[in-house]
Amino acid sequence: MLKGRNLIEPLDFTAGELDTLFDLAGKIIADPVAYSDAAKGKLLATLFYEPSTRTRFSFEAAMLRLGGQVIGFSGESSSSAAKGESIADTLRTVACYADLAVIRHPKEGSALVAANSAGIPVINGGDGGHQHPTQTLTDLLTIRREKGRLDKLRVGLCGDLKFGRTVHSLIKALSRYENMEFFLISPEELRVPEYVYKDIERGSGSKYTEVSQMQDVLPALDILYMTRVQRERFFNEDDYVRLKDSYILDDEKMRLAPEDMIVLHPLPRVNEIAIEVDSDPRAKYFVQAKNGMYVRMALILALLGLE
Ligand code: NCD
């Protein structure tokens, strides 16, 4: 069903296609060994022009655990981008060698450019401050497994909502489900971009409230999605230093939250979640990171038509 397709932004797949993908991820989680040869003989290219730990490693681990192989670079200084090659030419070349590719690049829209010239499935691993659809797959799978549903949820998103691409993609994806309620928790300067409000308005009965204090909304949440202030996207360091510690989730604040709320974070964390919270059973960010590998295994199989 998804064979040969690209994943550039969160709505590229229908809700039904996502359900099928999450069902497959669930089967892989239940019996990973059964899939250990599923992508044998296939090659994934990882083209990372920006730093990454989870996205790149989870894609590589996913492909290797499926019995496939991986080529790629990390940092544009080690590819011909350093000689001035365009993304389009790099992708045309990579398509001669690999069966699918994942690209992370600082420019918004770069993954779309890559997909248009590749001729093999291209996955957006993050394009600047814009979108990060495979983090969203990770987030949705985790929410589905932990909360048992993807609709009628009260979701607090906290931190850098302006530059945080995982937030933009998650809101867009969740707005498609019924009666979502978003609580956007950020300093005035780090509110979501204009297009994100439109994504909420286009949703199926989604609502949002903007607040500056997380304490005000914590008792009402099903999910708290924390994010890091995106230092690399700021124009000046003074603003970053002023805003970086706007929110710090600690045990004291967790006492205000419902017993069945879950805390998610795409990671990396800087200061925004105190280490003491890690041992709270509601902290699910490392479960989320692990789910990221499984959902990427499902995605690779689906795009290659091997499911
Ligand atoms: C995120 C990203 O790269 O946008 N990380 C990730 O992929 N898990 C979040 C971040 O860098 O803050």
Side-chain angles (χ1 to χ4, degrees):
M1 197 167 46
L2 295 178
K3 186 178 177 195
R5 302 254 293 270
N6 303 307
L7 177 58
I8 305 303
E9 65 111 351
L11 300 190
D12 283 349
F13 299 167
T14 65
E17 286 167 342
L18 286 184
D19 277 340
T20 308
L21 196 67
F22 297 146
D23 289 344
L24 176 59
K27 285 187 200 154
I28 297 172
I29 291 171
D31 187 7
V33 179
Y35 294 85
S36 56
D37 277 332
K40 200 165 175 212
K42 299 294 182 184
L43 202 54
L44 166 74
T46 58
L47 315 175
F48 278 70
Y49 296 81
E50 263 195 346
S52 170
T53 301
R54 270 146 296 270
T55 304
R56 186 166 68 87
F57 287 166
S58 65
F59 263 113
E60 296 189 358
M63 192 55 169
L64 295 171
R65 283 180 185 276
L66 291 168
Q69 290 180 295
V70 181
I71 52 171
F73 60 79
S74 178
E76 65 177 322
S77 59
S78 56
S79 81
S80 280
K83 302 179 188 170
E85 186 172 55
S86 68
I87 295 174
D89 282 1
T90 300
L91 263 292
R92 277 186 77 172
T93 308
V94 166
C96 302
Y97 314 138
D99 301 293
L100 79 170
V102 49
I103 178 171
R104 168 173 288 189
H105 195 281
K107 279 214 186 89
E108 311 200 341
S110 51
L112 185 60
V113 171
N116 286 341
S117 48
I120 56 171
V122 171
I123 301 163
N124 180 6
D127 60 328
H130 189 218
Q131 301 285 342
H132 191 348
T134 67
Q135 180 63 45
T136 299
L137 296 181
T138 303
D139 302 341
L140 296 182
L141 176 66
T142 307
I143 295 170
R144 204 175 91 141
R145 289 176 68 82
E146 298 294 330
K147 304 298 296 180
R149 65 182 195 279
L150 289 170
D151 58 354
K152 302 185 196 71
L153 290 164
R154 284 165 300 173
V155 186
L157 299 115
C158 178
D160 187 346
L161 309 187
K162 179 177 182 184
F163 296 117
R165 56 193 173 195
T166 67
V167 166
H168 307 158
S169 288
L170 182 59
I171 291 177
K172 190 164 193 170
L174 282 176
S175 295
R176 184 155 63 178
Y177 300 94
E178 275 178 14
N179 299 325
M180 299 298 300
E181 210 172 331
F182 298 107
F183 296 91
L184 308 176
I185 311 160
S186 77
E188 180 83 36
E189 294 102 311
L190 297 180
R191 288 188 174 177
V192 295
E194 242 356 269
Y195 68 85
V196 175
Y197 296 109
K198 300 217 170 74
D199 289 338
I200 299 175
E201 282 155 21
R202 270 195 294 268
S204 307
S206 310
K207 293 192 284 198
Y208 70 91
T209 310
E210 292 184 298
V211 295
S212 58
Q213 293 285 325
M214 78 162 112
Q215 291 89 321
D216 295 346
V217 298
L218 266 176
L221 298 181
D222 297 310
I223 297 161
L224 175 61
Y225 193 92
M226 295 295 296
T227 62
R228 156 184 87 87
V229 176
Q230 306 277 302
R231 180 181 204 161
E232 66 274 34
R233 316 232 184 266
F234 274 70
F235 294 112
N236 83 63
E237 182 72 8
D238 290 348
D239 286 344
Y240 170 71
V241 170
R242 185 167 52 80
L243 293 167
K244 72 183 171 70
D245 291 327
S246 299
Y247 302 99
I248 299 178
L249 182 67
D250 55 15
D251 278 347
E252 198 188 322
K253 294 199 187 74
M254 285 299 283
R255 281 198 276 278
L256 300 171
E259 279 304 302
D260 62 349
M261 186 191 83
I262 58 168
V263 182
L264 301 180
H265 190 312
L267 304 176
R269 127 176 85 184
V270 185
N271 268 335
E272 58 281 356
I273 303 181
I275 306 291
E276 62 191 23
V277 178
D278 296 2
S279 54
D280 188 306
R282 295 169 288 181
K284 298 293 181 192
Y285 26 93
F286 288 105
V287 175
Q288 184 186 0
K290 191 160 188 180
N291 284 338
M293 178 181 73
Y294 292 122
V295 85
R296 287 175 174 106
M297 288 171 81
L299 177 66
I300 290 169
L301 290 181
L303 296 185
L304 292 176
L306 297 171
E307 74 276 34

